[in-house]
PDB file of all heavy atoms in Angstrom:
ATOM      1  N   ALA A 323     -14.105 -14.625   3.424  1.00  0.00           N
ATOM      2  CA  ALA A 323     -13.286 -15.398   2.498  1.00  0.00           C
ATOM      3  C   ALA A 323     -12.080 -14.567   2.055  1.00  0.00           C
ATOM      4  O   ALA A 323     -12.143 -13.341   1.992  1.00  0.00           O
ATOM      5  CB  ALA A 323     -14.112 -15.807   1.283  1.00  0.00           C
ATOM      6  N   LEU A 324     -10.979 -15.251   1.763  1.00  0.00           N
ATOM      7  CA  LEU A 324      -9.775 -14.605   1.232  1.00  0.00           C
ATOM      8  C   LEU A 324      -9.071 -15.616   0.331  1.00  0.00           C
ATOM      9  O   LEU A 324      -8.784 -16.737   0.754  1.00  0.00           O
ATOM     10  CB  LEU A 324      -8.841 -14.173   2.363  1.00  0.00           C
ATOM     11  CG  LEU A 324      -7.502 -13.552   1.937  1.00  0.00           C
ATOM     12  CD1 LEU A 324      -7.734 -12.169   1.310  1.00  0.00           C
ATOM     13  CD2 LEU A 324      -6.543 -13.434   3.124  1.00  0.00           C
ATOM     14  N   SER A 325      -8.820 -15.215  -0.898  1.00  0.00           N
ATOM     15  CA  SER A 325      -8.132 -16.100  -1.835  1.00  0.00           C
ATOM     16  C   SER A 325      -6.872 -15.429  -2.355  1.00  0.00           C
ATOM     17  O   SER A 325      -6.775 -14.199  -2.389  1.00  0.00           O
ATOM     18  CB  SER A 325      -9.051 -16.469  -3.009  1.00  0.00           C
ATOM     19  OG  SER A 325     -10.131 -17.267  -2.578  1.00  0.00           O
ATOM     20  N   LEU A 326      -5.918 -16.267  -2.766  1.00  0.00           N
ATOM     21  CA  LEU A 326      -4.636 -15.773  -3.259  1.00  0.00           C
ATOM     22  C   LEU A 326      -4.250 -16.558  -4.503  1.00  0.00           C
ATOM     23  O   LEU A 326      -4.427 -17.774  -4.561  1.00  0.00           O
ATOM     24  CB  LEU A 326      -3.566 -15.909  -2.168  1.00  0.00           C
ATOM     25  CG  LEU A 326      -2.169 -15.381  -2.481  1.00  0.00           C
ATOM     26  CD1 LEU A 326      -1.545 -14.754  -1.231  1.00  0.00           C
ATOM     27  CD2 LEU A 326      -1.259 -16.500  -2.996  1.00  0.00           C
ATOM     28  N   LEU A 327      -3.716 -15.851  -5.472  1.00  0.00           N
ATOM     29  CA  LEU A 327      -3.342 -16.440  -6.763  1.00  0.00           C
ATOM     30  C   LEU A 327      -1.870 -16.155  -7.032  1.00  0.00           C
ATOM     31  O   LEU A 327      -1.417 -15.029  -6.871  1.00  0.00           O
ATOM     32  CB  LEU A 327      -4.223 -15.843  -7.853  1.00  0.00           C
ATOM     33  CG  LEU A 327      -4.037 -16.173  -9.323  1.00  0.00           C
ATOM     34  CD1 LEU A 327      -5.344 -15.888 -10.071  1.00  0.00           C
ATOM     35  CD2 LEU A 327      -2.923 -15.347  -9.977  1.00  0.00           C
ATOM     36  N   ILE A 328      -1.128 -17.185  -7.397  1.00  0.00           N
ATOM     37  CA  ILE A 328       0.253 -17.015  -7.858  1.00  0.00           C
ATOM     38  C   ILE A 328       0.320 -17.436  -9.322  1.00  0.00           C
ATOM     39  O   ILE A 328      -0.162 -18.513  -9.685  1.00  0.00           O
ATOM     40  CB  ILE A 328       1.252 -17.847  -7.036  1.00  0.00           C
ATOM     41  CG1 ILE A 328       1.234 -17.422  -5.566  1.00  0.00           C
ATOM     42  CG2 ILE A 328       2.662 -17.688  -7.594  1.00  0.00           C
ATOM     43  CD1 ILE A 328       2.226 -18.178  -4.703  1.00  0.00           C
ATOM     44  N   THR A 329       0.884 -16.583 -10.153  1.00  0.00           N
ATOM     45  CA  THR A 329       1.007 -16.897 -11.571  1.00  0.00           C
ATOM     46  C   THR A 329       2.452 -16.727 -12.028  1.00  0.00           C
ATOM     47  O   THR A 329       3.179 -15.867 -11.531  1.00  0.00           O
ATOM     48  CB  THR A 329       0.077 -16.018 -12.427  1.00  0.00           C
ATOM     49  OG1 THR A 329       0.252 -16.354 -13.813  1.00  0.00           O
ATOM     50  CG2 THR A 329       0.361 -14.539 -12.235  1.00  0.00           C
ATOM     51  N   ASP A 330       2.847 -17.574 -12.960  1.00  0.00           N
ATOM     52  CA  ASP A 330       4.213 -17.605 -13.460  1.00  0.00           C
ATOM     53  C   ASP A 330       4.169 -17.637 -14.987  1.00  0.00           C
ATOM     54  O   ASP A 330       3.415 -18.423 -15.571  1.00  0.00           O
ATOM     55  CB  ASP A 330       4.915 -18.851 -12.899  1.00  0.00           C
ATOM     56  CG  ASP A 330       6.388 -18.912 -13.280  1.00  0.00           C
ATOM     57  OD1 ASP A 330       6.674 -19.208 -14.447  1.00  0.00           O
ATOM     58  OD2 ASP A 330       7.238 -18.672 -12.414  1.00  0.00           O
ATOM     59  N   ILE A 331       4.966 -16.779 -15.634  1.00  0.00           N
ATOM     60  CA  ILE A 331       5.016 -16.775 -17.097  1.00  0.00           C
ATOM     61  C   ILE A 331       5.735 -18.031 -17.569  1.00  0.00           C
ATOM     62  O   ILE A 331       6.854 -18.311 -17.141  1.00  0.00           O
ATOM     63  CB  ILE A 331       5.734 -15.516 -17.623  1.00  0.00           C
ATOM     64  CG1 ILE A 331       4.995 -14.248 -17.165  1.00  0.00           C
ATOM     65  CG2 ILE A 331       5.832 -15.543 -19.145  1.00  0.00           C
ATOM     66  CD1 ILE A 331       5.702 -12.952 -17.541  1.00  0.00           C
ATOM     67  N   ASP A 332       5.091 -18.785 -18.447  1.00  0.00           N
ATOM     68  CA  ASP A 332       5.663 -20.046 -18.930  1.00  0.00           C
ATOM     69  C   ASP A 332       6.877 -19.786 -19.828  1.00  0.00           C
ATOM     70  O   ASP A 332       6.836 -18.919 -20.710  1.00  0.00           O
ATOM     71  CB  ASP A 332       4.604 -20.839 -19.712  1.00  0.00           C
ATOM     72  CG  ASP A 332       3.445 -21.277 -18.836  1.00  0.00           C
ATOM     73  OD1 ASP A 332       3.668 -21.504 -17.632  1.00  0.00           O
ATOM     74  OD2 ASP A 332       2.309 -21.391 -19.359  1.00  0.00           O
ATOM     75  N   HIS A 333       7.933 -20.561 -19.588  1.00  0.00           N
ATOM     76  CA  HIS A 333       9.139 -20.524 -20.431  1.00  0.00           C
ATOM     77  C   HIS A 333       9.685 -19.104 -20.594  1.00  0.00           C
ATOM     78  O   HIS A 333      10.094 -18.707 -21.694  1.00  0.00           O
ATOM     79  CB  HIS A 333       8.843 -21.127 -21.811  1.00  0.00           C
ATOM     80  CG  HIS A 333       8.289 -22.527 -21.754  1.00  0.00           C
ATOM     81  ND1 HIS A 333       9.003 -23.602 -21.240  1.00  0.00           N
ATOM     82  CD2 HIS A 333       7.076 -23.015 -22.145  1.00  0.00           C
ATOM     83  CE1 HIS A 333       8.247 -24.701 -21.318  1.00  0.00           C
ATOM     84  NE2 HIS A 333       7.092 -24.375 -21.856  1.00  0.00           N
ATOM     85  N   PHE A 334       9.709 -18.352 -19.504  1.00  0.00           N
ATOM     86  CA  PHE A 334      10.157 -16.965 -19.604  1.00  0.00           C
ATOM     87  C   PHE A 334      11.645 -16.870 -19.946  1.00  0.00           C
ATOM     88  O   PHE A 334      12.085 -15.924 -20.605  1.00  0.00           O
ATOM     89  CB  PHE A 334       9.872 -16.223 -18.291  1.00  0.00           C
ATOM     90  CG  PHE A 334      10.212 -14.762 -18.348  1.00  0.00           C
ATOM     91  CD1 PHE A 334       9.463 -13.889 -19.126  1.00  0.00           C
ATOM     92  CD2 PHE A 334      11.296 -14.252 -17.645  1.00  0.00           C
ATOM     93  CE1 PHE A 334       9.776 -12.539 -19.187  1.00  0.00           C
ATOM     94  CE2 PHE A 334      11.622 -12.911 -17.703  1.00  0.00           C
ATOM     95  CZ  PHE A 334      10.852 -12.053 -18.482  1.00  0.00           C
ATOM     96  N   LYS A 335      12.436 -17.837 -19.516  1.00  0.00           N
ATOM     97  CA  LYS A 335      13.866 -17.824 -19.844  1.00  0.00           C
ATOM     98  C   LYS A 335      14.074 -17.812 -21.354  1.00  0.00           C
ATOM     99  O   LYS A 335      14.987 -17.138 -21.872  1.00  0.00           O
ATOM    100  CB  LYS A 335      14.563 -19.024 -19.217  1.00  0.00           C
ATOM    101  CG  LYS A 335      16.083 -19.034 -19.429  1.00  0.00           C
ATOM    102  CD  LYS A 335      16.727 -20.222 -18.725  1.00  0.00           C
ATOM    103  CE  LYS A 335      18.255 -20.176 -18.863  1.00  0.00           C
ATOM    104  NZ  LYS A 335      18.673 -20.227 -20.282  1.00  0.00           N
ATOM    105  N   ALA A 336      13.212 -18.530 -22.081  1.00  0.00           N
ATOM    106  CA  ALA A 336      13.334 -18.564 -23.541  1.00  0.00           C
ATOM    107  C   ALA A 336      13.058 -17.188 -24.145  1.00  0.00           C
ATOM    108  O   ALA A 336      13.645 -16.822 -25.172  1.00  0.00           O
ATOM    109  CB  ALA A 336      12.371 -19.598 -24.118  1.00  0.00           C
ATOM    110  N   VAL A 337      12.167 -16.412 -23.512  1.00  0.00           N
ATOM    111  CA  VAL A 337      11.903 -15.051 -23.998  1.00  0.00           C
ATOM    112  C   VAL A 337      13.156 -14.203 -23.858  1.00  0.00           C
ATOM    113  O   VAL A 337      13.560 -13.489 -24.791  1.00  0.00           O
ATOM    114  CB  VAL A 337      10.729 -14.415 -23.216  1.00  0.00           C
ATOM    115  CG1 VAL A 337      10.534 -12.959 -23.643  1.00  0.00           C
ATOM    116  CG2 VAL A 337       9.450 -15.203 -23.426  1.00  0.00           C
ATOM    117  N   ASN A 338      13.802 -14.274 -22.697  1.00  0.00           N
ATOM    118  CA  ASN A 338      15.031 -13.510 -22.477  1.00  0.00           C
ATOM    119  C   ASN A 338      16.140 -13.968 -23.423  1.00  0.00           C
ATOM    120  O   ASN A 338      16.883 -13.153 -23.982  1.00  0.00           O
ATOM    121  CB  ASN A 338      15.499 -13.661 -21.026  1.00  0.00           C
ATOM    122  CG  ASN A 338      14.804 -12.685 -20.090  1.00  0.00           C
ATOM    123  OD1 ASN A 338      14.387 -11.606 -20.494  1.00  0.00           O
ATOM    124  ND2 ASN A 338      14.677 -13.067 -18.832  1.00  0.00           N
ATOM    125  N   ASP A 339      16.270 -15.290 -23.609  1.00  0.00           N
ATOM    126  CA  ASP A 339      17.329 -15.820 -24.463  1.00  0.00           C
ATOM    127  C   ASP A 339      17.131 -15.410 -25.914  1.00  0.00           C
ATOM    128  O   ASP A 339      18.097 -15.130 -26.641  1.00  0.00           O
ATOM    129  CB  ASP A 339      17.366 -17.350 -24.365  1.00  0.00           C
ATOM    130  CG  ASP A 339      17.866 -17.828 -22.999  1.00  0.00           C
ATOM    131  OD1 ASP A 339      18.434 -17.000 -22.258  1.00  0.00           O
ATOM    132  OD2 ASP A 339      17.651 -19.014 -22.677  1.00  0.00           O
ATOM    133  N   THR A 340      15.876 -15.358 -26.364  1.00  0.00           N
ATOM    134  CA  THR A 340      15.578 -15.068 -27.769  1.00  0.00           C
ATOM    135  C   THR A 340      15.533 -13.574 -28.053  1.00  0.00           C
ATOM    136  O   THR A 340      16.037 -13.094 -29.079  1.00  0.00           O
ATOM    137  CB  THR A 340      14.238 -15.705 -28.180  1.00  0.00           C
ATOM    138  OG1 THR A 340      14.283 -17.107 -27.907  1.00  0.00           O
ATOM    139  CG2 THR A 340      13.944 -15.476 -29.662  1.00  0.00           C
ATOM    140  N   HIS A 341      14.940 -12.806 -27.157  1.00  0.00           N
ATOM    141  CA  HIS A 341      14.670 -11.385 -27.423  1.00  0.00           C
ATOM    142  C   HIS A 341      15.466 -10.442 -26.525  1.00  0.00           C
ATOM    143  O   HIS A 341      15.284  -9.220 -26.613  1.00  0.00           O
ATOM    144  CB  HIS A 341      13.175 -11.104 -27.266  1.00  0.00           C
ATOM    145  CG  HIS A 341      12.318 -11.971 -28.137  1.00  0.00           C
ATOM    146  ND1 HIS A 341      12.170 -11.758 -29.489  1.00  0.00           N
ATOM    147  CD2 HIS A 341      11.574 -13.080 -27.841  1.00  0.00           C
ATOM    148  CE1 HIS A 341      11.357 -12.676 -29.992  1.00  0.00           C
ATOM    149  NE2 HIS A 341      10.986 -13.485 -29.020  1.00  0.00           N
ATOM    150  N   GLY A 342      16.332 -10.990 -25.693  1.00  0.00           N
ATOM    151  CA  GLY A 342      17.127 -10.156 -24.814  1.00  0.00           C
ATOM    152  C   GLY A 342      16.344  -9.693 -23.591  1.00  0.00           C
ATOM    153  O   GLY A 342      15.120  -9.847 -23.514  1.00  0.00           O
ATOM    154  N   HIS A 343      17.070  -9.101 -22.649  1.00  0.00           N
ATOM    155  CA  HIS A 343      16.401  -8.668 -21.413  1.00  0.00           C
ATOM    156  C   HIS A 343      15.460  -7.492 -21.655  1.00  0.00           C
ATOM    157  O   HIS A 343      14.464  -7.327 -20.930  1.00  0.00           O
ATOM    158  CB  HIS A 343      17.449  -8.313 -20.356  1.00  0.00           C
ATOM    159  CG  HIS A 343      18.130  -9.518 -19.784  1.00  0.00           C
ATOM    160  ND1 HIS A 343      17.520 -10.371 -18.908  1.00  0.00           N
ATOM    161  CD2 HIS A 343      19.375 -10.028 -19.996  1.00  0.00           C
ATOM    162  CE1 HIS A 343      18.344 -11.353 -18.577  1.00  0.00           C
ATOM    163  NE2 HIS A 343      19.492 -11.171 -19.229  1.00  0.00           N
ATOM    164  N   ASP A 344      15.735  -6.680 -22.669  1.00  0.00           N
ATOM    165  CA  ASP A 344      14.797  -5.594 -22.982  1.00  0.00           C
ATOM    166  C   ASP A 344      13.458  -6.164 -23.427  1.00  0.00           C
ATOM    167  O   ASP A 344      12.391  -5.672 -23.022  1.00  0.00           O
ATOM    168  CB  ASP A 344      15.369  -4.698 -24.083  1.00  0.00           C
ATOM    169  CG  ASP A 344      16.509  -3.821 -23.581  1.00  0.00           C
ATOM    170  OD1 ASP A 344      16.654  -3.704 -22.345  1.00  0.00           O
ATOM    171  OD2 ASP A 344      17.239  -3.269 -24.425  1.00  0.00           O
ATOM    172  N   GLY A 345      13.505  -7.202 -24.251  1.00  0.00           N
ATOM    173  CA  GLY A 345      12.262  -7.851 -24.670  1.00  0.00           C
ATOM    174  C   GLY A 345      11.558  -8.501 -23.501  1.00  0.00           C
ATOM    175  O   GLY A 345      10.333  -8.436 -23.376  1.00  0.00           O
ATOM    176  N   GLY A 346      12.342  -9.134 -22.611  1.00  0.00           N
ATOM    177  CA  GLY A 346      11.740  -9.745 -21.426  1.00  0.00           C
ATOM    178  C   GLY A 346      11.081  -8.711 -20.537  1.00  0.00           C
ATOM    179  O   GLY A 346       9.993  -8.944 -19.980  1.00  0.00           O
TER     180      GLY A 346
END
Side-chain angles (χ1 to χ4, degrees):
L324 177 70
S325 293
L326 183 143
L327 176 158
I328 299 182
T329 179
D330 185 286
I331 300 175
D332 295 330
H333 304 297
F334 184 69
K335 184 177 184 299
V337 175
N338 276 332
D339 290 345
T340 304
H341 304 284
H343 287 287
D344 287 345

